[in-house]
Amino acid sequence: MSRQARQQSNTGVYHVIQRGVNRMLIFHEDADRRMFLDLLKSLMEDSGIFLLLLSCWSYFRPYCFCLMDNHIHLIVKTSRLSFYIHRILTAYAIWFNHKYEREGYLFQDRFKSEVIEDQGYLLRCFRYVLQNPLKAGLCHKISEYRWNSYSVYF
């Protein structure tokens, strides 16, 4: 049976979730998280170059992120969701496997994505993503958690 096609957002905004295979840790130390954020930043900077190379309207803008120990949450606006998310996850998995001298899959299945079509749902997704470490007991206040986009906004 073939898998279901990914739902396309009219607004281009998505909530993306990706877990480590068997819920394994995908971030062991701060350097791992920094590498992921560097890859995320490079996609933002490269999207203008891809516009010229691909001769199509292409963009990638992260709005919100939270890096947990074994999973990732992103809220992004993009014209090519699978292209950009696949690129960042593949680059990170190759880097991670090399660093930790391991082989095999790092991520469980394909990434999950939910379309965000209205402002109310966007705000609820922001709240959910930013409160993730609080609900997991990793901090007492959202502002204490270093690996989310909270400090960028407040």
Side-chain angles (χ1 to χ4, degrees), residues 1 4 9 15-16 29 32 45 48 51 56 68 72 74-75 79-80 101 109 120 129 152 154:
M1 179 165 77
Q4 212 168 359
S9 170
H15 175 200
V16 175
E29 56 188 25
D32 301 343
E45 294 166 353
L51 177 66
C56 67
M68 301 295 283
I72 301 161
L74 300 170
I75 297 177
S79 58
R80 302 182 66 207
E101 298 177 350
D109 300 325
V129 169
V152 174
F154 301 101

Side-chain angles (χ1 to χ4, degrees), residues 84-142:
Y84 286 112
I85 299 300
H86 175 71
R87 186 167 174 191
I88 190 173
L89 295 178
T90 300
Y92 181 75
I94 290 168
W95 176 85
F96 184 93
N97 282 348
H98 177 74
K99 178 180 179 180
Y100 292 104
E101 298 177 350
R102 67 177 299 275
E103 294 179 3
Y105 294 106
L106 178 61
F107 297 110
Q108 178 178 306
D109 300 325
R110 65 181 187 158
F111 67 91
K112 292 180 174 60
S113 64
E114 299 175 5
V115 298
I116 300 175
E117 300 289 6
D118 62 70
Q119 189 174 9
Y121 187 54
L122 176 64
L123 293 174
R124 287 190 300 279
C125 284
F126 259 79
R127 189 173 24 252
Y128 174 79
V129 169
L130 294 176
Q131 289 181 349
N132 222 255
L134 188 66
K135 290 179 182 177
L138 299 176
C139 59
H140 291 70
K141 292 195 278 188
I142 299 169

Side-chain angles (χ1 to χ4, degrees), residues 59-86:
Y59 59 89
F60 180 85
R61 295 287 175 255
Y63 286 168
C64 184
F65 68 86
C66 185
L67 308 181
M68 301 295 283
D69 291 341
N70 68 349
H71 67 284
I72 301 161
H73 288 274
L74 300 170
I75 297 177
V76 298
K77 182 169 185 165
T78 182
S79 58
R80 302 182 66 207
L81 181 68
S82 292
F83 174 81
Y84 286 112
I85 299 300
H86 175 71

